[in-house]
């Protein structure tokens, strides 16, 4: 039977941050702070929280403006999301933790280790995105926007799985279903017109510089079909001590679709 999911709100510099947690609470026990992908929330990390729970206390936040967290009326940086994680750690009485995240969450995890080296013991970066320059970032975000429709006011519209497979297969799951798509739709409706905040933050974040700056052990997990996986050699060069491993058959949202596999890799690295 899956481990139960707990939920709550933490008081942070960005207002109330909603969190989900799973696994035992124990003094000094291992904690994993989990950060989600772009335009989503901790709701897409539930399967991974439960897969990690036998070995860790796993806590995932909704970034500001995402999920059930308070919305903010300013453009955050990746470091602001990292600070929201640290504030949540403080609120929950967590002194040190491992950081794990996918896509934007990988960037947040790198920023955590760089900015709070005394708080983060190891990093698991899943499907780390990388824009080679500002022009590429702008073009990539524009291409993504074309396949994420909105109404005339900019509020996101729901999509069918058929629409995704036809127009944006690189962001589709390996096992496509409308149920999968509906979870994506729900998350984007929760974010509303703020859904591009995380992508704009990511466009200004340099994961190469971040990896060069951090001192703790790093595991980089890539889905076999992840589009930015072509940059893994650059990531390895920036952080020679990092372990790079591939999830066969993985693509986007691996932390949801391949939770058991990711938890197994993380467990072997973190324990």
């Amino acid at each position: 039977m899956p481990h139960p999911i707990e939920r709550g709100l933490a008081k942070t510099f960005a207002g109330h941050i909603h969190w989900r947690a799973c696994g035992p609470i124990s003094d000094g026990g291992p904690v994993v702070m989990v950060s989600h992908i772009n335009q989503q929330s901790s709701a897409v990390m539930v399967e991974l929280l439960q897969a990690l729970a036998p070995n860790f206390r796993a806590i995932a936040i909704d970034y500001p403006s995402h999920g059930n967290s308070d919305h903010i009326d300013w453009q955050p940086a990746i470091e602001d999301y990292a600070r929201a994680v640290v504030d949540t750690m403080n609120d929950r009485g967590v002194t040190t933790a491992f950081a794990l995240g996918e896509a934007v969450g990988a960037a947040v995890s790198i920023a955590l280790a760089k900015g709070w080296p005394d708080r983060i013991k190891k990093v698991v970066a899943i499907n780390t995105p990388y824009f080679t320059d500002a022009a590429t970032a702008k073009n990539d975000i524009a291409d993504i926007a074309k396949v994420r429709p909105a109404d005339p006011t900019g509020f996101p519209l729901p999509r069918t799985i058929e629409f995704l497979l036809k127009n944006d297969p690189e962001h589709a799951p390996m096992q496509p279903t409308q149920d999968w798509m509906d979870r994506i739709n729900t998350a984007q409706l929760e974010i509303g017109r703020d859904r591009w905040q995380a992508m704009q933050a990511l466009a200004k974040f340099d994961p190469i510089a971040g990896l060069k700056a951090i001192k703790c052990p790093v595991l980089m997990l890539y889905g076999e079909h992840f589009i930015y996986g072509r940059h893994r050699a650059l990531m390895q060069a920036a952080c020679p001590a990092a372990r790079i491993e591939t999830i066969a058959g993985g693509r986007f949202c691996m932390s949801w679709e391949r939770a058991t596999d990711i938890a197994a890799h993380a467990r072997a690295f973190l324990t």
Side-chain angles (χ1 to χ4, degrees), residues 236-257:
Q236 181 78 78
C239 191
R243 289 169 51 179
I244 296 184
E245 299 174 4
T246 300
I247 303 291
R251 190 154 49 199
F252 276 91
C253 289
M254 286 204 308
S255 48
W256 162 4
E257 195 173 41

Side-chain angles (χ1 to χ4, degrees), residues 75 78 103-104 107 129 131 197-207:
Q75 173 59 53
I78 290 296
V104 167
F131 302 123
Q197 286 182 355
M199 282 297 288
Q200 295 300 332
L202 182 63
K204 296 183 181 300
F205 181 75
D206 184 351

Side-chain angles (χ1 to χ4, degrees), residues 42-260:
S42 62
V44 299
M45 311 304 278
V46 165
E47 288 85 353
L48 182 57
L49 296 179
Q50 292 173 324
L52 291 168
N55 303 98
F56 307 96
R57 173 71 170 171
I59 304 172
I61 74 162
D62 298 346
Y63 304 141
S65 295
H66 293 63
N68 291 297
S69 291
D70 286 347
H71 282 245
I72 55 175
D73 60 1
W74 46 276
Q75 173 59 53
I78 290 296
E79 289 80 4
D80 293 315
Y81 294 151
R83 182 180 171 189
V85 173
V86 173
D87 282 0
T88 302
M89 290 172 62
N90 295 338
D91 183 88
R92 305 311 303 155
V94 177
T95 303
T96 60
F98 303 119
L100 178 153
E102 181 172 6
V104 167
V108 173
S109 298
I110 292 168
L112 277 166
K114 178 183 177 183
W116 292 268
D118 58 326
R119 307 293 297 274
I120 301 301
K121 297 184 289 186
K122 293 182 180 180
V123 168
V124 178
I126 305 164
N127 282 343
T128 304
Y130 178 58
F131 302 123
T132 53
D133 51 53
T136 299
K138 183 177 180 180
N139 291 336
D140 283 6
I141 292 172
D143 287 342
I144 293 171
K146 291 176 184 177
V147 295
R148 298 192 182 178
D151 71 12
T153 73
F155 199 85
L157 294 172
R159 293 174 292 170
T160 64
I161 192 65
E162 290 78 16
F163 176 94
L164 186 68
L165 291 171
K166 178 181 178 180
N167 296 283
D168 192 16
E170 290 178 329
H171 286 89
M174 298 301 291
Q175 300 174 0
T177 64
Q178 187 57 43
D179 176 70
W180 188 99
M181 193 74 249
D182 286 344
R183 290 177 68 176
I184 301 292
N185 288 333
T186 297
Q188 296 204 15
L189 291 172
E190 289 173 341
I191 306 167
R193 297 180 189 90
D194 294 330
R195 66 174 169 161
W196 295 104
Q197 286 182 355
M199 282 297 288
Q200 295 300 332
L202 182 63
K204 296 183 181 300
F205 181 75
D206 184 351
I208 299 293
L211 285 167
K212 287 180 178 179
I214 62 179
K215 305 301 181 184
C216 69
V218 178
L219 169 64
M220 305 194 75
L221 284 179
Y222 285 94
E224 181 182 2
H225 305 291
F226 177 60
I227 56 173
Y228 293 118
R230 62 184 181 272
H231 298 306
R232 69 189 71 189
L234 285 172
M235 302 293 174
Q236 181 78 78
C239 191
R243 289 169 51 179
I244 296 184
E245 299 174 4
T246 300
I247 303 291
R251 190 154 49 199
F252 276 91
C253 289
M254 286 204 308
S255 48
W256 162 4
E257 195 173 41
R258 302 294 292 274
T260 301

